[in-house]
Amino acid sequence: MNFDFSDAQKALKKQTRDMLRSACDLTVPRRVFEDSSESYSKDVWAALVDMEAPATAIPEEYGGIGFGYLELCAVAEEVGRSLAPVPFSSSVYLATEAILMAGSEEQKKEFLSKLATGEAIGTFALSEGPGLVTANSLSVTYAGGKLQGTKSPVPDGDIADFAVVVAEGTTGSCLALVDLTGDGVSRKPVDTVDPSRSHAAITFDGAPAQLLGSEGAGWDLKNRVFDRAAILFAMEQLGGADACLQMAADYSRGRYAFGRPIGSFQAIKHKLADVYIRNELARANNYYGAWALSTDAAELPMAAAAARVGSIEAYQFASKENIQTHGGIGFTWESDCHLFYRRSKLLSLSIGSARVWKDRLVSALESRNAA
Amino acid sequence: MNFDFSDAQKALKKQTRDMLRSACDLTVPRRVFEDSSESYSKDVWAALVDMEAPATAIPEEYGGIGFGYLELCAVAEEVGRSLAPVPFSSSVYLATEAILMAGSEEQKKEFLSKLATGEAIGTFALSEGPGLVTANSLSVTYAGGKLQGTKSPVPDGDIADFAVVVAEGTTGSCLALVDLTGDGVSRKPVDTVDPSRSHAAITFDGAPAQLLGSEGAGWDLKNRVFDRAAILFAMEQLGGADACLQMAADYSRGRYAFGRPIGSFQAIKHKLADVYIRNELARANNYYGAWALSTDAAELPMAAAAARVGSIEAYQFASKENIQTHGGIGFTWESDCHLFYRRSKLLSLSIGSARVWKDRLVSALESRNAA
Amino acid sequence: MDFNDTPQQAAFRTEVRSWLEANAERKVEGKRGLNRRIDSEKGLAIAKVWQAKKAAAGYACLGFPEEYGGQGRPLFDQIVYDQEEEQFDVPRSFFAIGLGMCAPTMMTYATEEQKQRHIPPMVSGEEVWCQLFSEPSAGSDLAGLGTRAVQDGDDWVINGQKVWTSGAHYSDWGILVTRHDRSLAKHKGLTFFFLDMKSPGVEVRPIKQISGASDFNEVYFTNVRIPDSQRLGGVGDGWTVSLTTLMNERLAVGGAPPPDAMDLFKLAASTQLEDGEPALADRAVREKVADWYVQAEGLRHIRSRALTALSRGEAPGPEASISKVVSAPKLQDISAYGMDLLDIGGSIIGDEAPADSAFQNGYLYAPGLRIAGGTDEILRNIIAERVLGLPGDIRVDRDKPFEDIPTGR
Amino acid sequence: MDFNDTPQQAAFRTEVRSWLEANAERKVEGKRGLNRRIDSEKGLAIAKVWQAKKAAAGYACLGFPEEYGGQGRPLFDQIVYDQEEEQFDVPRSFFAIGLGMCAPTMMTYATEEQKQRHIPPMVSGEEVWCQLFSEPSAGSDLAGLGTRAVQDGDDWVINGQKVWTSGAHYSDWGILVTRHDRSLAKHKGLTFFFLDMKSPGVEVRPIKQISGASDFNEVYFTNVRIPDSQRLGGVGDGWTVSLTTLMNERLAVGGAPPPDAMDLFKLAASTQLEDGEPALADRAVREKVADWYVQAEGLRHIRSRALTALSRGEAPGPEASISKVVSAPKLQDISAYGMDLLDIGGSIIGDEAPADSAFQNGYLYAPGLRIAGGTDEILRNIIAERVLGLPGDIRVDRDKPFEDIPTGR
């Protein structure tokens, strides 16, 4: 048994971390956050593309470097730690995965190479406004090669070149690939609690689109893409949670009250011990998820849900208790604490909240036990 | 507005507390707990009867003293604080309330005076073994004036003189009053996590019984009796939770580790502050429940459920963290900590667990909002 | 127990209600009204008009003695007034800190002449006050403050920085605690003043919070001169005077803004889940609603119990600490959970946000609420020590000269 | 990442498995087997037979050097063995404290002759060892122990009381830490021994726990004589020696007995709720199952990560502390919740209890688990200080003579 990343994977992780530490210190997400004219950091995206990060898990035959998912997980953790304001999750975890899973050979050839080189940014459009979309409630339709209706909020919807859209087809739900720069597409930025990651409402009015996978399989494909993406999102969340813990522990060692570092008070010590414990539980579940993802194991649905649930809760807890540890300065705009607090919430809502994934987890256990 | 007990009510509470402090220190519940031949403390029961505690809320016309429910709530808190090993809840909160609510004039005359004077001990039989009984799953039947089937565990079922039984009648569920000392009744003690309060399995084999209220109304009557009893149980639970807090705080002031009282460590201070906070929230909800009970207010269902949920959780938390505060000695048999820990769990399961009452609470809110 | 008014209270309630009916509009559900977040200068002007109207009618500060603009009424009458006013769309008060904290301090320590001069314009809303206590290095550890006061003739010269000062930018006057001697023990070297906020050398800079609002300021003092006649209490009595102010602060803090349990109930009733059923049909959602409802109701009844005690002239208990330590995390949790029910659409904020952004705003506002006016951690310490009688923390700073206390720098 | 064995491990696993198949029965679900709670004397006899069989086959203590009865194998082989053995119905080990804690201490501090004499019979199960550390006044604060050791010729004379000593009543030998000088600072005045538990003046009394079981004892020492040759480490080195033992304890503790998340899953699948549906169809129940499953899986994978590190010869990390601080409250909560699902019938205990009393027993056993071997509170301190590098608590006892440290009496 060897439950650890290999030396090469660790080296890749360190390389990513070092690159992001220099290219993407916290002034970078803050700038995107505060400047509404900047939807993402082109520099950081370019740096990630430069180190071939989007190509990590794309097979060489489609223009990728074919490292695999353990490598991609390592990169995702560092993207999360740095709060990188880039369309990495939309383009890599969602659009790339959807095409890898459901695309025809032609579609893979056409789109994956562009995704691998960063020439194109992809995204995935499911939500249709506040509330859950269900297989029966889809209002965006796909018929005769055209899309009709509105998706919102779509992550990176304002900057993506194309989107994979979950739509109601003529014979059931389907995935449709649409060029967002083409005809029949209008987009409008949507403000969220985390403006360092841009979102948009996209309205399709007869926008030409192509099927990805077969009609009727859309909802199932979406679930399978989300199972895989859940682990990558969880790694991002873990990176963020870990950054919060470091920030809080550092602050508590240096900040004095009553003549002693606040980190010497058990109220703070035990709080941060609890953050650490949750982070480590999440890390363990995530690494297991990474293994399941990399080997396409039968355990994937359970492992994905456990990773997702644990990481949502770890990051939410770490980001709020980081603010609390900082005291007054922690709830000011100028402190970086809230950048994590906001990102944590945004990520907790992306691809379904904890309550959705808890239910998926038990359903997966039921299926396993019935088998 | 005056949200407090009156001076007379406070005096009654103090009198009860003083009496129980001398007649029922913790050696008394421990004796009943350890000696399986003693089902309850006859001395403590006699002392409560002597101060007319069972008669508190029974109208004078039926042999009671007609004080009312605020007074009964005051007594219940003290019964809980002392861990009194007596059939008070079965006889007073359940049997008495059921007869007051559903009894004919004749039944009230016959049974209430005996309950008031302690001449008879009553109980209420609903459960039919592990798991929930539902209106559709009742296996005990009532037909032709006779009961058939087994109820278990019935609180004080081994010592009660009669029971109010929830049974399936010929035209729906009903309540039936049965003499437990008569023909067709066999009883067998059942061990529970809290042996200081006895329980029994009671098997009816054609036991003669009389209807209490009308056929078909049994389930609804049970719910209404439980709404009222919930507040009285909650007061008992509050008394127990308060006793745990006092015990833990006293211990933490006197026990030294690392050269200082353990109560000076924030890990202990904040834990006990949390116990206090939950107890005070429960107290506030309970007092409101007491008011609703005493005035038969429209808010009763909400107030009862809120009191019950808050008190279950306060007592469970206080009793487990009392053990934790005591450290090693706390989990020994000889320490009194576990007497509270066990009672707390037993009371949390009596008349339905927290999950049942949370659902009832939201249902009550829905009804109110629909009105 | 009795939730009804006494005959006197009922009569007063009727009187107040009819005055309010004549002078203000009732609140309308779903309409934002005057209490919406508006630019403070404009808001202040509206609030001053309303406060003057209340003062003219005698309702501005019912409990204060008549000679200072009050009516010397029992505390419960103020509560009756507040309960009634809450149902009307009146502007938010810019005077709470002045009336609730500065005025009681002035009443206790100022000269008769100063009280005559300063309290009536506070009551009528003509002059606004603020409280200058916290510093960047002295938050939870308030007595660790370092703003210096040096005596120079009949004046004191102040240098230093305060922070978290609500309303400093529109205040006319402020109360201020300073350190006059760094060689004395922490709590001994403090001296207390009130000052004209327009004094030369006072500079106010707003602090932007997570939520984007600026409810607080930094206040810098550069050679600000305060006449010795504006000293409250003796030289070195600053801590004692501060405690008077803070005792009154604990009365003022406590509750949290919405969303609360019933807001979640309503959201859940109107939001569909996976199966097309309303979220409120989901047992997991129901349990959450129930848990928070029980907490919310508990707090509501704790307030009622406290009001009962106050109306009898009893000292305020730990109710405000309980309320704050429960309601702030509750706000944070309810807000996050409400957003979860809305899925990714729950992240939307601003004009197109669901449920008027209530849950999103609560999420961003709650972290501050868990800290301002006493952190969760400090409040638990207070409850443990003052209510349960547990021993204090080990103190390494208590008896040292202030200048020798470790600061980590 | 790779969850497969190396070829060497796979070969060893096959070897072990076939030996176990030949010498023990596989566990059968629902059958209690040899590990059920049985009277310890009888249990000990059965366990000794099994341990002797293992020792004869060379499996008793794979990592120990060959000269002491082991095989000098890599740690991972021990894990392979344990994983395989766990699937068989073998008696519970009475030797864990001896082999896991006493033996490593003896290996470090005893003379070669003593090691030759004592370790092989530990390995073969002929002699059982216990650890005499905690005292009524020294639990979390272990260094506060007061059992006195006074030198008298070639012997030491011991007086005092130990507590929480597992297996003292059937142990042949024990390791013991004592205080030889009360005028020295707390950690300096300690001296460490091993002793024959049958020595005159040693009295063992069982402690009954909440659960009714007696897993621990009090041990009283009245003028017990120990030869100086049985001192481990120098006079005054007792704390250092104790740390060797405790470091090994942290490896030994960690997990919790059932019920765990999947036990609740099974209970919920087979228990009906209000609507006649299985509890597992209830979203509130599903969320609970999911929460605990995520915790349980996290702990399982943390163990796997720790095993990976150990197999590479890395020092054990904080995994055991995490595991204990998570699993003990989890056991308490799952147990209480399982009882709730069964309504008042969930209170039944004993032969007629539902689900083999698993949830009821867990409820009664969990409080001890949250305390024994390090309380929740001590473990959080350890994590905060050793892993996160946060400062220690303020210590008032560190440098004082032991006899001057406040004890509250």
Side-chain angles (χ1 to χ4, degrees), chain B residues 1-6 9-10 70 245-246 248-250 252-253 260-261 263-266 268-274 276-277 280-285 287-288 290-291 294-295 302 305-307 309-310 313 354-366 368-369, chain C residues 1-6 9 76 79 83 262 265-266 280-281 283 285-291 293-305 307-308 311-312 314 318-319 321-322 325-326 376-385 387-394:
Chain B
M1 182 168 74
N2 176 5
F3 192 8
D4 198 3
F5 288 104
S6 70
Q9 287 155 357
K10 286 179 185 167
L70 292 175
L245 175 59
Q246 286 312 316
D250 288 348
S252 80
R253 281 188 294 262
R260 44 193 279 208
S264 72
F265 288 98
Q266 288 185 338
I268 299 293
K269 290 168 82 160
H270 291 194
K271 181 197 294 301
L272 297 187
D274 283 338
Y276 174 77
I277 289 165
E280 289 307 296
L281 288 172
R283 182 181 300 283
N285 276 315
Y287 284 16
Y288 186 71
W291 167 80
S294 71
T295 58
M302 271 87 72
V309 169
E313 293 184 349
R355 48 172 303 288
V356 172
W357 284 94
K358 285 178 190 177
D359 195 59
R360 283 179 79 146
L361 174 52
V362 178
S363 298
L365 292 173
E366 288 173 315
R368 184 184 68 183
N369 268 39
Chain C
M1 287 183 200
D2 185 357
F3 286 87
N4 297 323
D5 289 331
T6 63
Q9 287 163 355
F76 218 89
I79 291 157
Q83 286 173 342
M262 286 308 293
F265 176 96
K266 286 173 201 157
L280 198 56
R283 287 287 285 248
V285 177
R286 292 170 83 80
E287 291 210 353
K288 296 277 189 188
V289 169
D291 285 338
Y293 180 84
V294 170
Q295 283 190 357
E297 282 288 288
L299 291 181
R300 185 165 76 89
H301 303 316
I302 281 179
R303 270 193 297 279
S304 299
R305 291 185 60 217
L307 294 181
T308 299
S311 71
R312 293 179 186 157
E314 293 167 18
E319 296 82 11
S321 295
I322 294 177
V325 83
V326 173
D376 293 358
E377 292 74 21
I378 290 290
L379 294 173
R380 286 201 177 84
N381 251 22
I382 288 174
I383 290 170
E385 293 174 16
V387 183
L388 302 180
L390 300 187
D393 292 351
I394 303 284

Side-chain angles (χ1 to χ4, degrees), chain B residues 89-164:
Chain B
S89 53
S90 303
S91 201
V92 180
Y93 316 158
L94 292 169
T96 301
E97 286 303 312
I99 293 168
L100 273 170
M101 181 177 294
S104 65
E105 195 57 26
E106 218 164 300
Q107 288 170 325
K108 287 184 188 171
K109 285 228 166 82
E110 180 183 350
F111 288 96
L112 291 176
S113 61
K114 288 187 199 160
L115 288 165
T117 59
E119 189 188 327
I121 292 170
T123 189
F124 194 93
L126 170 64
S127 178
E128 300 183 349
L132 281 173
V133 195
T134 70
N136 300 322
S137 76
L138 281 167
S139 74
V140 169
T141 56
Y142 175 79
K146 292 187 193 309
L147 281 168
Q148 199 73 29
T150 299
K151 290 284 183 185
S152 173
V154 179
D156 302 298
D158 52 338
I159 57 157
D161 299 292
F162 69 88
V164 176

Side-chain angles (χ1 to χ4, degrees), chain A residues 1-4 252-253 260 266 269-270 274 276-277 285 288 291 355 358-359 362-363 366 369, chain D residues 1-4 265 283 286 291 294 297 301 304 308 312 325 380-381 385 388-391 393-394:
Chain A
M1 182 166 75
N2 178 3
F3 193 7
D4 197 4
S252 80
R253 280 187 296 261
R260 44 194 276 210
Q266 288 186 337
K269 290 168 83 158
H270 292 193
D274 283 338
Y276 173 77
I277 289 165
N285 276 314
Y288 186 71
W291 167 80
R355 47 171 304 288
K358 286 178 190 178
D359 196 58
V362 178
S363 298
E366 288 173 314
N369 268 40
Chain D
M1 287 185 203
D2 185 356
F3 286 88
N4 297 325
F265 176 95
R283 286 287 286 244
R286 292 169 84 80
D291 285 337
V294 170
E297 282 290 288
H301 303 316
S304 298
T308 299
R312 292 180 186 156
V325 84
R380 287 200 176 83
N381 251 24
E385 294 174 16
L388 303 179
L390 301 188
D393 292 350
I394 302 284

Side-chain angles (χ1 to χ4, degrees), chain C residues 22-37:
Chain C
N23 291 279
E25 300 285 317
R26 279 200 176 270
K27 279 184 189 163
V28 177
E29 178 147 20
K31 204 185 137 199
R32 287 193 188 184
L34 293 172
N35 256 316
R36 66 191 183 277
R37 181 164 294 142

Side-chain angles (χ1 to χ4, degrees), chain A residues 78-98:
Chain A
E78 298 311 318
V79 168
R81 186 188 313 279
S82 69
L83 289 179
V86 290
F88 199 70
S89 52
S90 303
S91 200
V92 180
Y93 315 157
L94 292 169
T96 301
E97 285 303 312

